[in-house]
Amino acid sequence: MNMINNVKCKYQKLCGSCQLLDKSYQDTLNFKLTYVNDCLHKAGFNHQVTKIVEAKQNTNYRNKMIIGYKFVNGKIISGFYEENTHHIIDIDECQMHSKMQNFILQNLKSIFQSLKIKPYDEDRKVGLIRYVLVREAYFTGEILIVLVTASEIFPARSEVVKRIKALSPKIKTIIQNINSRKTSIVLGDKERILYGNGYITDLFGNLKFNISSKAFYQINTLQTQNLYEKIKLLANFNKNETIIDAYSGVGTIGLILASSVKEVISIENNQQSVRAAILNAKINQIKNVHFICDDATNYLVEIAKEKVKIDAIIMDPPRTGSTIAFLEAIKKIKPRKVIYVSCDPSTLARDLKVLKNEYKIMESVCVDMFSWTNHVETLVVLSHKKSDGHI
Ligand code: SAH
């Protein structure tokens, strides 16, 4: 494990993705805890989050790399976007990604250069390659590569695939994604598998998970494992409980908790993620998780009208947080426990405020999922005030 106390990065100023590189690692953790507590205090809570799970591996942790391309003075440059701009910084490596991902970054550039495959120029509407997305399964080391092209026609396609495959036997699948829109969204709708079966597999505890190009997957696998362990430990589930896993992605939280509870209802609005979640349940022979593809608020508002007994609701919304209607529906359903997993403390505090009269904070912990950046993951376990504070 590479627990590092200071990181020096030559791209720091231009890139801007790692906002806390000037601090020691311990100081970044204190900074994050202070920020979370400030948000909670401003929202009127006295509660103090005192613990943050540090990352034993705080560099080379990202399992996903998105590479942008540009043609400058007859040469291809490739790397990440300069902060808040559309400029690509030419980089050879990023210390937050694995050695393997950096090796792929460097070699793709030479492959495209030698086969004269040009990056797409948005203004002149010429060229082919827009982005490359690399996903690496942490425990199995399997790699998925998505070549995002502006058009379907791909000169030298088979030669490109042959050369990429030759980089490493860990590269298990290569996909062409066609994105002809004028947008900053990386992936288009249309995909074509060029090699392999379109997904890679990772291990999580004793479960297997398939990872495809578009389905959500947490970017720091080791710390995600720690987060899920904390959920299990702090929420204290039992075999009689029916729980909802809202904003469930590829179903990981619900599938991991399935053996600790009676039933899980998993809700997610991204179709590719739900399809992956159903497949993940199947390959792990888990039968007590039901998957619903719907807007989380729609679903919760509907079941709040019925008399369904729900013991706990786990919610893991994106940075924008949840909705008032979702939180009001929780109050009608009255689960004994609400487990809020948040990647943005300000929307966490805003949402908790809506539940404040009915629920109290029993447990809380931060997890350093995005080391050296100013992002932080927070887990809060709430208990209904009428259930006497039992979790
Ligand atoms: N719990 C998962 C994923 C959390 S990320 C995990 O631990 O891996 C948040 C997820 O919420 C994403 O998969 C996103 O597609 C989904 N999402 C965003 N808005 C949603 C909505 N309105 N209804 C349901 N799911 C939503």
Side-chain angles (χ1 to χ4, degrees):
M1 293 282 172
N2 51 351
M3 172 72 119
I4 284 172
N5 197 35
N6 280 295
V7 176
K8 295 258 170 295
C9 171
K10 58 184 172 191
Y11 308 111
Q12 179 183 354
K13 288 253 149 44
L14 281 176
C15 168
S17 299
C18 298
Q19 300 88 352
L20 308 182
L21 287 182
D22 293 329
K23 298 183 190 296
S24 70
Y25 184 60
Q26 193 53 49
D27 284 348
T28 70
L29 300 181
N30 295 337
F31 174 89
K32 292 181 191 204
L33 271 179
T34 306
Y35 177 53
V36 172
N37 284 318
D38 279 353
C39 291
L40 290 174
H41 296 162
K42 275 189 201 135
F45 292 93
N46 297 322
H47 183 83
Q48 188 85 10
V49 185
T50 55
K51 278 172 272 165
I52 178 160
V53 180
E54 63 181 31
K56 295 270 180 287
Q57 180 184 326
N58 61 22
T59 55
N60 314 106
Y61 61 83
R62 289 188 67 99
N63 59 25
K64 173 170 117 176
M65 181 184 257
I66 296 171
I67 313 165
Y69 291 87
K70 208 166 190 145
F71 204 53
V72 180
N73 300 332
K75 276 213 161 113
I76 295 177
I77 63 163
S78 67
F80 305 156
Y81 281 99
E82 191 178 329
E83 203 183 10
N84 303 322
T85 72
H86 221 65
H87 300 145
I88 289 162
I89 322 156
D90 200 7
I91 66 165
D92 290 334
E93 61 152 6
C94 165
Q95 295 173 69
M96 302 307 144
H97 290 87
S98 70
K99 290 212 163 53
M100 178 54 106
Q101 289 166 42
N102 286 321
F103 170 78
I104 291 170
L105 164 84
Q106 295 151 12
N107 281 281
L108 285 178
K109 182 154 89 174
S110 349
I111 292 174
F112 295 148
Q113 190 86 47
S114 66
L115 292 172
K116 301 196 167 34
I117 294 173
K118 294 222 175 103
Y120 181 66
D121 181 327
E122 273 184 8
D123 301 323
R124 292 169 52 227
K125 306 226 172 343
V126 291
L128 183 69
I129 301 287
R130 298 191 76 160
Y131 304 97
V132 171
L133 165 74
V134 181
R135 279 185 151 179
E136 184 179 16
Y138 186 86
F139 289 105
T140 61
E142 293 185 1
I143 291 163
L144 168 147
I145 293 183
V146 185
L147 307 169
V148 186
T149 58
S151 69
E152 194 156 0
I153 303 158
F154 190 158
R157 178 172 16 220
S158 53
E159 187 58 27
V160 171
V161 170
K162 195 174 127 200
R163 294 197 191 183
I164 295 177
K165 260 164 66 178
L167 292 177
S168 164
K170 290 288 185 191
I171 298 173
K172 297 292 179 197
T173 193
I174 304 171
I175 297 164
Q176 180 186 359
N177 177 290
I178 299 113
N179 187 355
S180 48
R181 291 172 302 189
K182 198 170 167 31
T183 163
S184 56
I185 297 167
V186 175
L187 296 178
D189 293 333
K190 202 165 174 190
E191 285 194 350
R192 173 172 174 177
I193 298 172
L194 305 180
Y195 166 64
N197 48 18
Y199 62 85
I200 49 173
T201 305
D202 208 1
L203 303 173
F204 226 97
N206 46 14
L207 302 183
K208 275 189 195 159
F209 285 96
N210 284 350
I211 305 165
S212 61
S213 62
K214 284 187 193 159
F216 181 86
Y217 201 65
Q218 299 278 4
I219 58 106
N220 181 338
T221 314
L222 274 183
Q223 284 298 74
T224 302
Q225 238 177 9
N226 285 334
L227 171 73
Y228 293 169
E229 279 307 312
K230 286 284 176 198
I231 297 176
K232 222 172 180 172
L233 188 78
L234 299 180
N236 198 20
F237 294 109
N238 71 60
K239 285 284 213 182
N240 300 319
E241 290 179 320
T242 299
I243 68 170
I244 285 180
D245 175 17
Y247 307 93
S248 54
V250 291
T252 28
I253 297 180
L255 291 169
I256 282 163
L257 295 175
S259 60
S260 312
V261 299
K262 188 169 126 206
E263 199 178 2
V264 183
I265 304 166
S266 169
I267 312 152
E268 162 65 44
N269 71 352
N270 175 307
Q271 237 183 47
Q272 208 186 83
S273 291
V274 176
R275 262 189 243 128
I278 292 170
L279 202 69
N280 286 334
K282 206 166 156 194
I283 57 179
N284 291 294
Q285 294 167 356
I286 294 171
K287 299 206 167 71
N288 59 338
V289 185
H290 309 284
F291 298 95
I292 290 157
C293 186
D294 197 355
D295 170 64
T297 300
N298 271 351
Y299 182 79
L300 222 65
V301 167
E302 281 311 307
I303 64 151
K305 292 179 191 157
E306 298 163 23
K307 289 242 166 337
V308 192
K309 187 173 172 286
I310 304 292
D311 298 287
I313 296 180
I314 301 169
M315 53 191 290
D316 184 5
R319 278 189 204 157
T320 45
S322 190
T323 63
I324 299 276
F326 183 97
L327 299 161
E328 291 298 334
I330 291 186
K331 291 190 210 170
K332 285 200 188 122
I333 298 167
K334 294 193 183 65
R336 265 186 310 111
K337 300 174 259 195
V338 175
I339 295 104
Y340 197 135
V341 184
S342 158
C343 53
D344 186 329
S346 66
T347 54
L348 168 73
R350 180 200 71 197
D351 289 351
L352 290 182
K353 209 171 160 183
V354 182
L355 298 174
K356 204 171 172 204
N357 288 336
E358 291 78 13
Y359 285 88
K360 68 174 164 217
I361 302 178
M362 302 298 290
E363 302 276 359
S364 62
V365 66
C366 288
V367 180
D368 190 32
M369 296 262 270
F370 320 101
S371 299
W372 307 103
T373 77
N374 57 13
H375 296 289
V376 57
E377 192 83 4
T378 311
L379 165 64
V380 175
V381 180
L382 306 161
S383 159
H384 199 283
K385 289 187 176 167
K386 293 219 172 96
S387 64
D388 302 327
H390 290 302
I391 294 182

PDB file of all heavy atoms in Angstrom, residues 160-176:
ATOM      1  N   VAL A 160      -5.754  -0.806 -35.269  1.00  0.00           N
ATOM      2  CA  VAL A 160      -5.771  -0.124 -33.962  1.00  0.00           C
ATOM      3  C   VAL A 160      -6.072  -1.153 -32.864  1.00  0.00           C
ATOM      4  O   VAL A 160      -5.371  -1.229 -31.847  1.00  0.00           O
ATOM      5  CB  VAL A 160      -6.841   1.010 -33.938  1.00  0.00           C
ATOM      6  CG1 VAL A 160      -7.013   1.573 -32.534  1.00  0.00           C
ATOM      7  CG2 VAL A 160      -6.459   2.126 -34.895  1.00  0.00           C
ATOM      8  N   VAL A 161      -7.095  -1.971 -33.113  1.00  0.00           N
ATOM      9  CA  VAL A 161      -7.493  -2.970 -32.111  1.00  0.00           C
ATOM     10  C   VAL A 161      -6.333  -3.941 -31.855  1.00  0.00           C
ATOM     11  O   VAL A 161      -6.008  -4.244 -30.709  1.00  0.00           O
ATOM     12  CB  VAL A 161      -8.777  -3.717 -32.572  1.00  0.00           C
ATOM     13  CG1 VAL A 161      -9.080  -4.909 -31.675  1.00  0.00           C
ATOM     14  CG2 VAL A 161      -9.953  -2.748 -32.599  1.00  0.00           C
ATOM     15  N   LYS A 162      -5.703  -4.372 -32.927  1.00  0.00           N
ATOM     16  CA  LYS A 162      -4.584  -5.329 -32.808  1.00  0.00           C
ATOM     17  C   LYS A 162      -3.460  -4.738 -31.942  1.00  0.00           C
ATOM     18  O   LYS A 162      -2.940  -5.389 -31.033  1.00  0.00           O
ATOM     19  CB  LYS A 162      -4.070  -5.641 -34.219  1.00  0.00           C
ATOM     20  CG  LYS A 162      -3.186  -6.850 -34.294  1.00  0.00           C
ATOM     21  CD  LYS A 162      -2.857  -7.160 -35.743  1.00  0.00           C
ATOM     22  CE  LYS A 162      -1.356  -7.258 -35.888  1.00  0.00           C
ATOM     23  NZ  LYS A 162      -0.905  -7.091 -37.257  1.00  0.00           N
ATOM     24  N   ARG A 163      -3.137  -3.467 -32.217  1.00  0.00           N
ATOM     25  CA  ARG A 163      -2.031  -2.845 -31.460  1.00  0.00           C
ATOM     26  C   ARG A 163      -2.404  -2.591 -30.008  1.00  0.00           C
ATOM     27  O   ARG A 163      -1.561  -2.687 -29.109  1.00  0.00           O
ATOM     28  CB  ARG A 163      -1.598  -1.544 -32.129  1.00  0.00           C
ATOM     29  CG  ARG A 163      -0.983  -1.817 -33.483  1.00  0.00           C
ATOM     30  CD  ARG A 163      -0.194  -0.627 -33.965  1.00  0.00           C
ATOM     31  NE  ARG A 163       0.154  -0.818 -35.368  1.00  0.00           N
ATOM     32  CZ  ARG A 163       0.897   0.020 -36.063  1.00  0.00           C
ATOM     33  NH1 ARG A 163       1.351   1.117 -35.503  1.00  0.00           N
ATOM     34  NH2 ARG A 163       1.174  -0.222 -37.318  1.00  0.00           N
ATOM     35  N   ILE A 164      -3.671  -2.236 -29.759  1.00  0.00           N
ATOM     36  CA  ILE A 164      -4.073  -2.001 -28.360  1.00  0.00           C
ATOM     37  C   ILE A 164      -4.049  -3.324 -27.592  1.00  0.00           C
ATOM     38  O   ILE A 164      -3.524  -3.406 -26.480  1.00  0.00           O
ATOM     39  CB  ILE A 164      -5.473  -1.329 -28.272  1.00  0.00           C
ATOM     40  CG1 ILE A 164      -5.438   0.076 -28.883  1.00  0.00           C
ATOM     41  CG2 ILE A 164      -5.942  -1.262 -26.825  1.00  0.00           C
ATOM     42  CD1 ILE A 164      -6.775   0.792 -28.925  1.00  0.00           C
ATOM     43  N   LYS A 165      -4.591  -4.368 -28.217  1.00  0.00           N
ATOM     44  CA  LYS A 165      -4.599  -5.692 -27.574  1.00  0.00           C
ATOM     45  C   LYS A 165      -3.185  -6.131 -27.195  1.00  0.00           C
ATOM     46  O   LYS A 165      -2.962  -6.732 -26.151  1.00  0.00           O
ATOM     47  CB  LYS A 165      -5.170  -6.728 -28.546  1.00  0.00           C
ATOM     48  CG  LYS A 165      -6.616  -7.062 -28.287  1.00  0.00           C
ATOM     49  CD  LYS A 165      -7.240  -7.773 -29.483  1.00  0.00           C
ATOM     50  CE  LYS A 165      -6.655  -9.146 -29.747  1.00  0.00           C
ATOM     51  NZ  LYS A 165      -7.352  -9.788 -30.907  1.00  0.00           N
ATOM     52  N   ALA A 166      -2.237  -5.811 -28.078  1.00  0.00           N
ATOM     53  CA  ALA A 166      -0.851  -6.238 -27.866  1.00  0.00           C
ATOM     54  C   ALA A 166      -0.194  -5.522 -26.675  1.00  0.00           C
ATOM     55  O   ALA A 166       0.857  -5.942 -26.193  1.00  0.00           O
ATOM     56  CB  ALA A 166      -0.040  -5.996 -29.134  1.00  0.00           C
ATOM     57  N   LEU A 167      -0.815  -4.438 -26.190  1.00  0.00           N
ATOM     58  CA  LEU A 167      -0.204  -3.701 -25.066  1.00  0.00           C
ATOM     59  C   LEU A 167      -0.198  -4.530 -23.780  1.00  0.00           C
ATOM     60  O   LEU A 167       0.721  -4.446 -22.983  1.00  0.00           O
ATOM     61  CB  LEU A 167      -0.956  -2.379 -24.804  1.00  0.00           C
ATOM     62  CG  LEU A 167      -0.856  -1.289 -25.868  1.00  0.00           C
ATOM     63  CD1 LEU A 167      -1.709  -0.090 -25.476  1.00  0.00           C
ATOM     64  CD2 LEU A 167       0.599  -0.869 -26.060  1.00  0.00           C
ATOM     65  N   SER A 168      -1.265  -5.297 -23.565  1.00  0.00           N
ATOM     66  CA  SER A 168      -1.331  -6.091 -22.328  1.00  0.00           C
ATOM     67  C   SER A 168      -2.437  -7.136 -22.413  1.00  0.00           C
ATOM     68  O   SER A 168      -3.531  -6.853 -22.910  1.00  0.00           O
ATOM     69  CB  SER A 168      -1.624  -5.168 -21.134  1.00  0.00           C
ATOM     70  OG  SER A 168      -2.055  -5.936 -20.033  1.00  0.00           O
ATOM     71  N   PRO A 169      -2.157  -8.339 -21.891  1.00  0.00           N
ATOM     72  CA  PRO A 169      -3.213  -9.369 -21.864  1.00  0.00           C
ATOM     73  C   PRO A 169      -4.356  -8.997 -20.910  1.00  0.00           C
ATOM     74  O   PRO A 169      -5.410  -9.615 -20.942  1.00  0.00           O
ATOM     75  CB  PRO A 169      -2.485 -10.618 -21.373  1.00  0.00           C
ATOM     76  CG  PRO A 169      -1.244 -10.125 -20.719  1.00  0.00           C
ATOM     77  CD  PRO A 169      -0.881  -8.823 -21.371  1.00  0.00           C
ATOM     78  N   LYS A 170      -4.120  -7.979 -20.069  1.00  0.00           N
ATOM     79  CA  LYS A 170      -5.169  -7.545 -19.147  1.00  0.00           C
ATOM     80  C   LYS A 170      -6.285  -6.794 -19.873  1.00  0.00           C
ATOM     81  O   LYS A 170      -7.362  -6.585 -19.340  1.00  0.00           O
ATOM     82  CB  LYS A 170      -4.578  -6.620 -18.055  1.00  0.00           C
ATOM     83  CG  LYS A 170      -3.694  -7.358 -17.068  1.00  0.00           C
ATOM     84  CD  LYS A 170      -4.557  -8.200 -16.176  1.00  0.00           C
ATOM     85  CE  LYS A 170      -3.744  -8.876 -15.095  1.00  0.00           C
ATOM     86  NZ  LYS A 170      -4.526  -9.898 -14.392  1.00  0.00           N
ATOM     87  N   ILE A 171      -5.984  -6.318 -21.096  1.00  0.00           N
ATOM     88  CA  ILE A 171      -7.016  -5.608 -21.869  1.00  0.00           C
ATOM     89  C   ILE A 171      -7.986  -6.660 -22.413  1.00  0.00           C
ATOM     90  O   ILE A 171      -7.655  -7.431 -23.309  1.00  0.00           O
ATOM     91  CB  ILE A 171      -6.370  -4.751 -22.990  1.00  0.00           C
ATOM     92  CG1 ILE A 171      -5.466  -3.693 -22.344  1.00  0.00           C
ATOM     93  CG2 ILE A 171      -7.449  -4.106 -23.878  1.00  0.00           C
ATOM     94  CD1 ILE A 171      -4.628  -2.886 -23.312  1.00  0.00           C
ATOM     95  N   LYS A 172      -9.170  -6.703 -21.812  1.00  0.00           N
ATOM     96  CA  LYS A 172     -10.108  -7.796 -22.107  1.00  0.00           C
ATOM     97  C   LYS A 172     -11.175  -7.400 -23.116  1.00  0.00           C
ATOM     98  O   LYS A 172     -11.814  -8.264 -23.698  1.00  0.00           O
ATOM     99  CB  LYS A 172     -10.813  -8.258 -20.817  1.00  0.00           C
ATOM    100  CG  LYS A 172      -9.883  -8.838 -19.783  1.00  0.00           C
ATOM    101  CD  LYS A 172      -9.309 -10.168 -20.264  1.00  0.00           C
ATOM    102  CE  LYS A 172      -8.358 -10.729 -19.221  1.00  0.00           C
ATOM    103  NZ  LYS A 172      -7.490 -11.761 -19.743  1.00  0.00           N
ATOM    104  N   THR A 173     -11.436  -6.098 -23.231  1.00  0.00           N
ATOM    105  CA  THR A 173     -12.473  -5.703 -24.170  1.00  0.00           C
ATOM    106  C   THR A 173     -12.205  -4.293 -24.710  1.00  0.00           C
ATOM    107  O   THR A 173     -11.674  -3.445 -23.984  1.00  0.00           O
ATOM    108  CB  THR A 173     -13.874  -5.842 -23.525  1.00  0.00           C
ATOM    109  OG1 THR A 173     -14.876  -5.750 -24.536  1.00  0.00           O
ATOM    110  CG2 THR A 173     -14.161  -4.795 -22.460  1.00  0.00           C
ATOM    111  N   ILE A 174     -12.534  -4.091 -25.992  1.00  0.00           N
ATOM    112  CA  ILE A 174     -12.367  -2.778 -26.634  1.00  0.00           C
ATOM    113  C   ILE A 174     -13.693  -2.437 -27.323  1.00  0.00           C
ATOM    114  O   ILE A 174     -14.266  -3.275 -28.025  1.00  0.00           O
ATOM    115  CB  ILE A 174     -11.209  -2.788 -27.660  1.00  0.00           C
ATOM    116  CG1 ILE A 174      -9.896  -3.239 -26.974  1.00  0.00           C
ATOM    117  CG2 ILE A 174     -11.021  -1.405 -28.295  1.00  0.00           C
ATOM    118  CD1 ILE A 174      -8.739  -3.499 -27.931  1.00  0.00           C
ATOM    119  N   ILE A 175     -14.162  -1.214 -27.077  1.00  0.00           N
ATOM    120  CA  ILE A 175     -15.466  -0.804 -27.589  1.00  0.00           C
ATOM    121  C   ILE A 175     -15.288   0.473 -28.402  1.00  0.00           C
ATOM    122  O   ILE A 175     -14.493   1.343 -28.027  1.00  0.00           O
ATOM    123  CB  ILE A 175     -16.430  -0.532 -26.400  1.00  0.00           C
ATOM    124  CG1 ILE A 175     -16.659  -1.827 -25.611  1.00  0.00           C
ATOM    125  CG2 ILE A 175     -17.761   0.065 -26.848  1.00  0.00           C
ATOM    126  CD1 ILE A 175     -17.265  -1.608 -24.248  1.00  0.00           C
ATOM    127  N   GLN A 176     -16.030   0.602 -29.494  1.00  0.00           N
ATOM    128  CA  GLN A 176     -16.098   1.899 -30.192  1.00  0.00           C
ATOM    129  C   GLN A 176     -17.423   2.541 -29.807  1.00  0.00           C
ATOM    130  O   GLN A 176     -18.485   1.920 -29.918  1.00  0.00           O
ATOM    131  CB  GLN A 176     -16.049   1.715 -31.719  1.00  0.00           C
ATOM    132  CG  GLN A 176     -16.131   3.053 -32.442  1.00  0.00           C
ATOM    133  CD  GLN A 176     -16.229   2.913 -33.964  1.00  0.00           C
ATOM    134  OE1 GLN A 176     -16.221   1.803 -34.504  1.00  0.00           O
ATOM    135  NE2 GLN A 176     -16.341   4.042 -34.648  1.00  0.00           N
TER     136      GLN A 176
END
